[in-house]
């Protein structure tokens, strides 16, 4: 193998892929990146056996070949080189990295020992803008359950239907649903549960641009392709809960409130929660046009904050976990939001006032 | 006590002082802030028994009085209130904090139980711009020893002489010296060792402005006054080492090099240090006009970087701890720096090319 790339291209590619490589005691090669020089350039590959990440880097190939070396060390090293051409060559089972003023020889492991990234036979194809997918994932990923006993909710549910992608996450205490537009209508409905780690990698890789992401796959694997980057992941088997049935369709009280003011009011009250508890009490007073948020704690004191709001329907009250409420409020992409309440033992529904693209359901704390 | 302040003023004052308050099992009141309403406004006081911090906040006093409450909770609470007037009042041994939409009652502890901040009888007075003091402290504080067996080097040495303040720190492996201009000449020479924690608080409090800091004190205490803020600290007893004698006055080799390029070259080599070691080898080649930086590690590989430099004097070499070398280089406030070397067992001297206000001495690793 002998190939020349620019520092910018090589460093970008290594930064994209090296995050997935990680220390693995039983399979040390997983901390390596596979470099393959082939017609058209250099291919960089990493995997943690659940996710496979491939990035193509332009380069001038003098001799084809492949080797694996420690991903993080190579990525850090190349990022510190000046912006000039870098020559990569295999010498005595080591990777020689040369630029005008520096050279290094990195110990390698055989490319043939590196796990294969499966080629996925695609049964469906969907198209979405990178920034839209990133925004939608960010709005739901925090509510995924870290519960290994319920694997079907340990990922984000993707549902493609016509020109809409719906993402859903839940940990059974709250549920987030976000809709995003596809750039072309999907040929057929399909749905899949994507592991949380995969969605976190996607958020890291996806930029703020309008570049198109192609999502393809089958019942076992999903593939996200963005320009020269391809992320392949296993999907989670099982049936996602029929979440539509828990979304409240009616309400006794609807609260309309400024999102940021409400966030600050909740944060202030949270300082006075009982140690080890996240409970705050909300009372909705229609005549006064106010939410009263209270918390008390024997050691520190008590807090009572009134938040101006428009209350429609009956006076009402509910006890909520303030962290879960804040998680939802902080993902409302609107100056104002609405909160629908039935009784103090039924879930509340939080959403932006403008648009129906985000819904956040939160279970009350039973007193 | 009853007093009204603006949210901005109160929040600023609480943020300044609350950092010093911390949990203390044997003396719980140290996590509190003392609030004293007296003629002219509100005085906020915190202490950790080593440092006392006082900040005055403007306010309209209706009734004088004093109480202590948890500093961090009050500071967080006030920072989240909207920008409006806040009324503070003592009610039933609690502090009531009221604004138009919120009220809280915080449990208090008696003001009389709060440790006194000593009034310091000042024997000398010095004047310096806040940003100059901050910059000088930042350039030396990292090299202070965390060695309780040698208390005299566990702080920053301050030496006031005419219109120059010299700051020095060392952990016996390296030494940093920084000079800063005083705004008026000091009436008499004086020197003092200030604990590292105090200098860290100072860096936090001092802004980037030209406001004047007044430094006063005696053999036991030092006081830094900046506008409405006053920081009082004990000083460290003992004699600071006579550090002038270890500063090399001659050199066999002088290396002139671009500071940022040299930093990157050192960082690249550092990736190949032996596990648990920070040693890198530097060779200075006068004819080639190059520094050769090498490191090698059986697991990862080896690195050899050549860094363009002007070498004056004889060819030479030295082994250094790369972290210590980077610490010095990152505080060189100049595009280019010089490194003076004698033999591979004598200290090197690093300094900016422009000006003599910073000197950094680094001990070699003996092979």
């Amino acid at each position: 193998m002998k190939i020349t790339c620019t520092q910018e291209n090589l460093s970008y590619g290594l930064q994209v892929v090296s995050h997935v490589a990680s220390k693995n005691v039983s399979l040390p090669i997983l901390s390596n990146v596979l470099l393959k020089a082939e017609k058209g350039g250099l291919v960089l590959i990493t995997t943690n056996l659940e996710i496979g990440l491939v990035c193509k880097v332009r380069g001038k190939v003098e001799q084809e070949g492949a080797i694996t070396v420690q991903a993080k060390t190579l990525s850090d090293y190349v990022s510190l080189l000046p912006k000039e051409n870098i020559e990569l060559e295999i010498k005595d089972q080591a990777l020689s990295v040369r630029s005008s003023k520096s050279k290094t020889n990195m110990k390698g492991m055989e490319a043939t020992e590196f796990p294969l990234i499966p080629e996925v036979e695609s049964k469906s194809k969907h198209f979405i803008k990178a920034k839209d997918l990133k925004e939608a994932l960010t709005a739901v990923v925090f509510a995924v359950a870290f519960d290994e006993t319920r694997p079907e909710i340990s990922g984000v549910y993707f549902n493609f239907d016509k020109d809409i992608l719906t993402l859903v996450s839940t940990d059974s205490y709250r549920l987030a649903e976000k809709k995003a537009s596809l750039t072309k209508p999907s040929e057929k409905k399909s749905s899949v549960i994507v592991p949380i780690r995969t969605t976190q990698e996607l958020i890291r890789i996806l930029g703020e641009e309008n570049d198109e992401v192609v999502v393809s796959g089958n019942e076992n694997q999903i593939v996200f392709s963005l320009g020269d980057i391809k992320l392949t992941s296993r999907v989670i088997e099982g049936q996602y809960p029929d979440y539509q049935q828990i979304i409240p369709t009616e309400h006794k009280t609807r609260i309309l409130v400024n999102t940021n003011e409400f966030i600050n009011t909740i944060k202030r009250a949270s300082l006075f929660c009982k140690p080890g508890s996240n409970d705050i009490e909300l009372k909705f007073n229609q005549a006064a046009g106010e939410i009263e948020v209270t918390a008390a704690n024997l050691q520190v004191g008590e807090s009572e904050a009134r938040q101006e709001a428009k209350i429609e329907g009956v006076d009402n009250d509910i006890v909520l976990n303030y962290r879960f409420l804040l998680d939802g409020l902080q993902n409302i992409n609107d100056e104002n939001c609405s909160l629908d309440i039935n009784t103090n033992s039924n879930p509340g529904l939080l959403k932006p006032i403008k648009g129906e693209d985000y819904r956040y359901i939160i279970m009350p704390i039973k007193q």
Side-chain angles (χ1 to χ4, degrees), chain A residues 17 32 43 54 68 82 84 99 110 128 133 140 144 170 176 194 217 228 247 263 332 350:
Chain A
V17 301
N32 283 13
V43 184
V54 178
T68 82
E84 56 184 21
S99 58
E110 285 284 356
I128 184 167
L133 181 55
V140 301
V144 171
T170 184
V194 180
D228 290 327
I247 297 182
I263 288 174
I332 297 280
L350 184 70

Side-chain angles (χ1 to χ4, degrees), chain A residues 262 266 280-284 291-293 316-318 320:
Chain A
F262 197 28
I266 303 295
I280 53 167
E281 187 175 3
L282 297 106
K283 289 185 185 156
F284 310 104
I291 314 171
E292 192 184 303
V293 186
N316 215 328
D317 62 273
I318 197 165
L320 296 174

